[in-house]
């Protein structure tokens, strides 16, 4: 029922945050009910009546003043202690070893690296459920913010200052996230998904991502490949197994067709949507760094045929 909300935690860290949120909600609801009741009761009880005298006035009532000062202090102290506890438990210490996953925020997409496996993908983090992953957060341009409500705390991604956190998703599933720091025109289309899979499935995925796709030699796909070279797409995008396999200005396309979304969540990934994107990315995601190449229908078809071979 709660879907991708903090009420439906999928990690022990988020459990802590979710619990604190519920406790605070109950306390605040109690205060709201008390205040609402006092306001309503007193408005009725002491409302203006023709000829009635003013109700008795209380000045300098020390007991009352001590009580209404002490109670909020006590309440705030309780909330403070609970919050500090939750902050510690939701952000366990991270070791000084190389991270399992490096997540890099770009305007406006996410680069996801698996340094040990040599895999690079975009806009989705695959991980084995139940096996904590040490994640390093970086930013390529401006400040972004990692936030996937069901898997844990938010964390800023700051240029020149890597941050670290544990991603410890225990329940297999797909968890939706977004950039939570305003980072420019397409901040709203900087969506991220975390796919927690059984360790076997994750290993299969990782192996598949390590494969170098075979470059097509003939047919539409080969024509698309030639177009890709003519339009120098490789100046920004990398495809392993081609001459341009290093550059990381734009999403790595080595296994583009295996991903779930295009344009960091702007479109679900299908040949039709890929064609829409190729026809004019600026119509789908205005101001994104992917230019409109004014491809004609034929060229769009060839390009899609090529990109669809990148599985
Ligand atoms: Cu990246 Cu907002």
């Amino acid at each position: 029922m709660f879907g991708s909300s903090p009420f439906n935690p999928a990690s022990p860290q988020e459990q802590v945050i979710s619990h604190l949120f519920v406790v605070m909600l109950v306390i605040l609801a109690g205060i709201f009910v008390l205040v609402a009741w006092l306001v309503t009761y007193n408005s009725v009880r002491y409302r203006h009546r023709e000829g009635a005298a003013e109700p008795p006035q209380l000045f300098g009532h020390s007991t009352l003043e001590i009580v209404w000062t002490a109670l909020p202090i006590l309440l705030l102290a309780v909330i403070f202690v609970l919050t500090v506890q939750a902050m510690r438990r939701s952000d366990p210490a991270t070791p000084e070893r190389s991270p399992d996953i490096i997540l890099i925020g770009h305007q406006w997409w996410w680069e996801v690296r698996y340094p040990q496996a040599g895999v690079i993908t975009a806009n989705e983090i695959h991980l084995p459920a139940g096996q904590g992953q040490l994640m390093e957060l970086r930013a390529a341009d401006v400040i972004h913010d990692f936030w996937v409500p069901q898997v844990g705390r938010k964390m800023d991604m700051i240029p020149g200052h890597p941050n670290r956190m544990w991603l410890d998703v225990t329940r297999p599933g797909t968890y939706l996230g977004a950039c939570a720091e305003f980072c420019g025109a397409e901040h709203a289309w900087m969506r991220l998904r975390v796919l927690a899979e059984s360790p076997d499935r994750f290993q299969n995925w990782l192996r598949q991502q390590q494969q170098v796709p075979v470059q097509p030699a003939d047919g539409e796909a080969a024509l698309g490949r030639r177009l890709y070279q003519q339009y120098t797409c490789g100046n920004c995008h990398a495809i392993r197994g081609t001459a341009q396999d290093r550059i990381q200005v734009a999403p790595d396309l080595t296994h583009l067709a295996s991903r779930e979304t295009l344009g960091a969540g702007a479109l679900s990934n299908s040949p039709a949507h890929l064609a829409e994107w190729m026809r004019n990315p600026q119509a789908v995601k205005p101001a994104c760094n992917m230019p409109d190449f004014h491809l004609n229908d034929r060229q769009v078809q060839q390009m899609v045929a090529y990109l669809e071979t990148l599985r």
Side-chain angles (χ1 to χ4, degrees), residues 71-82:
L71 269 184
I73 289 176
L74 197 70
L75 208 55
L76 284 177
V78 169
I79 290 174
F80 176 76
V81 170
L82 290 177

Side-chain angles (χ1 to χ4, degrees), residues 106 108 110 142-145 179-184 187-188 190:
H106 294 257
W108 293 278
W110 311 81
V142 299
I143 301 179
H144 302 275
D145 188 287
C179 178
E181 174 72 45
F182 181 71
C183 55
H187 157 72
M190 193 166 159

Side-chain angles (χ1 to χ4, degrees), residues 118-289:
V119 164
I120 300 177
T121 183
N123 306 321
E124 52 194 44
I125 301 175
H126 289 248
L127 50 80
Q131 298 178 4
Q133 302 289 300
L134 180 61
M135 184 166 72
E136 183 169 293
L137 301 168
R138 302 182 192 164
D141 33 45
V142 299
I143 301 179
H144 302 275
D145 188 287
F146 168 84
W147 192 35
V148 183
Q150 284 174 276
V151 311
R153 56 164 301 180
K154 287 159 91 168
M155 196 179 271
D156 266 6
M157 311 169 79
I158 299 161
H161 181 92
N163 279 327
R164 289 177 156 220
M165 68 183 283
W166 281 106
L167 255 192
D168 190 9
V169 188
T170 41
R171 200 149 43 85
T174 300
Y175 305 102
L176 305 181
C179 178
E181 174 72 45
F182 181 71
C183 55
E186 286 296 334
H187 157 72
W189 280 120
M190 193 166 159
R191 303 287 173 88
L192 176 66
R193 43 189 64 208
V194 170
L195 296 102
E197 295 155 334
S198 69
D200 284 351
R201 278 194 66 178
F202 170 72
Q203 285 305 330
N204 283 341
W205 174 83
L206 204 60
R207 266 195 294 278
Q208 179 252 327
Q209 297 288 309
Q210 282 173 320
Q211 311 272 313
V212 175
V214 179
Q215 293 297 312
D218 46 35
E220 287 284 276
L223 294 173
R225 185 191 169 193
R226 197 170 327 141
L227 267 183
Y228 184 92
Q229 287 159 345
Q230 273 168 15
Y231 281 95
T232 61
C233 306
N235 280 356
C236 298
H237 295 279
I239 297 178
R240 261 176 300 135
T242 70
Q244 296 86 26
D245 64 347
R246 286 278 153 82
I247 190 95
Q248 293 300 339
V249 174
D252 187 300
L253 301 179
T254 309
H255 294 282
L256 171 72
S258 75
R259 302 206 283 255
E260 292 194 351
T261 67
L262 299 169
L267 293 170
S268 60
N269 191 2
S270 67
H273 281 158
L274 189 54
E276 190 182 336
W277 177 262
M278 292 308 305
R279 210 165 284 128
N280 183 4
Q282 292 299 318
V284 178
K285 196 166 171 177
C288 77
N289 287 329

Side-chain angles (χ1 to χ4, degrees), residues 270-311:
S270 67
H273 281 158
L274 189 54
E276 190 182 336
W277 177 262
M278 292 308 305
R279 210 165 284 128
N280 183 4
Q282 292 299 318
V284 178
K285 196 166 171 177
C288 77
N289 287 329
M290 171 89 172
D292 178 8
F293 286 98
H294 301 280
L295 303 178
N296 62 38
D297 287 351
R298 181 100 189 82
Q299 291 171 316
V300 167
Q301 240 175 44
Q302 293 168 348
M303 201 67 114
V304 170
Y306 172 48
L307 295 175
E308 283 297 320
T309 66
L310 305 174
R311 300 214 146 259

